[in-house]
Amino acid sequence: MIHDEVLRSEWIVACASTTVQETPVQVLILGERVVLFRTADGVHAFRDICIHRGAALSLGCVQNNRLVCPYHGWEYAPDGSCVKIPQLPAGRPIPTKARAARFHCIEAYGFVWVNLGHGEAPLFSLPEYDDSAFRHVVWGPSRVSAKPPRIIENFLDVGHLSFVHEGFLGVRTHAEIGEYRVAEGEDGVLRSGEIEVYQPDPDGSGQSRYVYYIYEILGPLSVRFIKRDPLTGSRMTILLSIRPDDEQTSTAYGLISFDYETGMTDEQITGFQDMIFAQDKPIVENQRPEELPLDLQQELSLKCDGVSIAYRRYLARRRVTFGTA
Ligand code: FES
Ligand code: FE
């Protein structure tokens, strides 16, 4: 188990909503095995262990809105209480200790989110999710052998677009990054100003031009950008959220939203994102130290790394310890 009290009280992306159907699903969150299951009133999360003999509840099934342990058939209600023990003679009470440990769990933006703590902090808001002008595509899971802050910072890093994603998201001969600021908005979200990026083909028309990125830090493990094309006025946003699985592995999820006709199927959109993420993966998996240095003297930052610097300061202020140094 990973002891980071800040991350344990955050909403962490567990999986795509569509992953949790009739069959229970096991996910690893901060080293904790969690079972997700769906009943008539939504998705629920328990610690994935049966108090009777330690079986994984995720190997069981859902029957009559109860999670049934695969080993001896004990039945758990969504509130975690054990409501049936088949081996008990009729009329015998169920021991009060017979319970599953329940975690806070919600569905939002196409994902299931789990909070291992008290679940008091609200989930960040995503205004365009309810805006009918936007189409949304869920991307992930994508496994990465790196700690979450390095992955998040890579997403916030505008300077790499013209190198790592050359020909797709940037052009080497236009690597320069102009001035911009990062400030906290009235909504409490850390947000960059518009950053100019020269892209070879922003809308598939083959015409290279400048587009504008705004980056937002929504939480220690959730960030996004809003990309605006001044020629067409169209907007695209990508939310990236990372699930820390264990000490070595993370799983990335994304929500890609457009307010224009892309001419692409969902599969083509996620396929493109897979290709872009595959370009980042060898970089982040080989960065050292694996932990993101929060002491700004440790690596050599430039002014154009302003979003990364803001993220490092944010993690320091929030006292995130996992994946930081
Ligand atoms: Fe779950 Fe026995 S281990 S019912
Ligand atoms: Fe990248």
Side-chain angles (χ1 to χ4, degrees):
M1 227 173 65
I2 295 165
H3 295 282
D4 182 312
E5 286 318 309
V6 179
L7 296 184
R8 289 182 75 85
S9 52
E10 278 289 317
W11 289 102
I12 293 177
V13 64
C15 63
S17 270
T18 50
T19 306
V20 191
Q21 306 287 1
E22 299 83 42
T23 321
V25 174
Q26 185 192 71
V27 290
L28 202 55
I29 303 175
L30 290 166
E32 185 96 64
R33 296 203 304 182
V34 175
V35 54
L36 303 171
F37 64 102
R38 190 181 287 281
T39 66
D41 43 62
V43 178
H44 314 277
F46 291 170
R47 182 167 287 141
D48 193 10
I49 187 164
C50 179
I51 195 165
H52 179 219
R53 286 295 175 264
L57 295 169
S58 55
L59 297 175
C61 60
V62 180
Q63 270 170 13
N64 304 320
N65 294 315
R66 296 167 177 176
L67 180 60
V68 184
C69 179
Y71 202 1
H72 310 93
W74 290 23
E75 296 182 17
Y76 294 93
D79 69 357
S81 60
C82 181
V83 288
K84 186 172 175 187
I85 296 183
Q87 292 78 13
L88 272 185
R92 290 284 179 84
I94 290 171
T96 46
K97 265 185 73 181
R99 289 192 67 85
R102 192 172 150 258
F103 298 119
H104 295 275
C105 177
I106 51 174
E107 274 185 288
Y109 316 137
F111 298 102
V112 175
W113 304 83
V114 170
N115 189 312
L116 299 179
H118 299 297
E120 285 148 2
L123 182 64
F124 56 83
S125 63
L126 221 49
E128 66 275 0
Y129 195 74
D130 299 315
D131 182 341
S132 59
F134 281 87
R135 164 189 174 197
H136 306 283
V137 180
V138 167
W139 170 80
S142 187
R143 207 46 88 71
V144 194
S145 299
K147 300 219 161 77
R150 284 284 193 193
I151 307 168
I152 293 275
E153 192 186 77
N154 165 265
F155 184 85
L156 297 173
D157 181 293
V158 68
H160 82 292
L161 297 179
S162 55
F163 278 78
V164 176
H165 307 301
E166 196 199 4
F168 298 100
L169 304 179
V171 179
R172 261 171 210 239
T173 49
H174 291 70
E176 247 177 63
I177 297 158
E179 300 258 322
Y180 64 88
R181 296 170 67 93
V182 180
E184 192 174 310
E186 279 176 14
D187 52 3
V189 172
L190 275 171
R191 184 176 287 118
S192 77
E194 285 198 322
I195 308 173
E196 201 171 56
V197 178
Y198 194 79
Q199 293 197 328
D201 187 12
D203 63 350
S205 66
Q207 193 188 347
S208 52
R209 59 183 179 270
Y210 283 104
V211 292
Y212 294 85
Y213 278 68
I214 290 174
Y215 290 90
E216 291 183 344
I217 297 166
L218 303 169
L221 303 175
S222 298
V223 293
R224 70 168 189 156
F225 69 70
I226 302 143
K227 171 166 126 181
R228 182 177 68 87
D229 182 341
L231 193 70
T232 60
S234 61
R235 281 172 304 161
M236 175 213 196
T237 79
I238 299 187
L239 165 77
L240 177 79
S241 205
I242 305 294
R243 187 183 75 214
D245 298 345
D246 54 27
E247 290 281 351
Q248 287 79 34
T249 316
S250 304
T251 300
Y253 287 92
L255 183 72
I256 311 168
S257 310
F258 310 88
D259 74 348
Y260 58 97
E261 181 46 64
T262 60
M264 288 165 87
T265 62
D266 286 7
E267 290 68 34
Q268 287 170 322
I269 288 164
T270 54
F272 181 79
Q273 202 52 38
D274 284 339
M275 184 274 294
I276 294 293
F277 201 69
Q279 294 178 327
D280 288 312
K281 229 175 112 155
I283 302 287
V284 296
E285 289 185 339
N286 289 288
Q287 278 177 289
R288 295 294 178 273
E290 288 157 275
E291 290 79 20
L292 193 70
L294 300 189
D295 174 356
L296 297 178
Q297 302 310 316
Q298 271 222 17
E299 289 179 334
L300 183 59
S301 295
L302 300 175
K303 194 143 191 242
C304 63
D305 296 317
V307 186
S308 311
I309 293 167
Y311 178 59
R312 291 180 184 206
R313 287 197 171 125
Y314 170 81
L315 293 182
R317 198 169 69 234
R318 294 282 317 268
R319 298 184 193 282
V320 173
T321 55
F322 178 62
T324 65

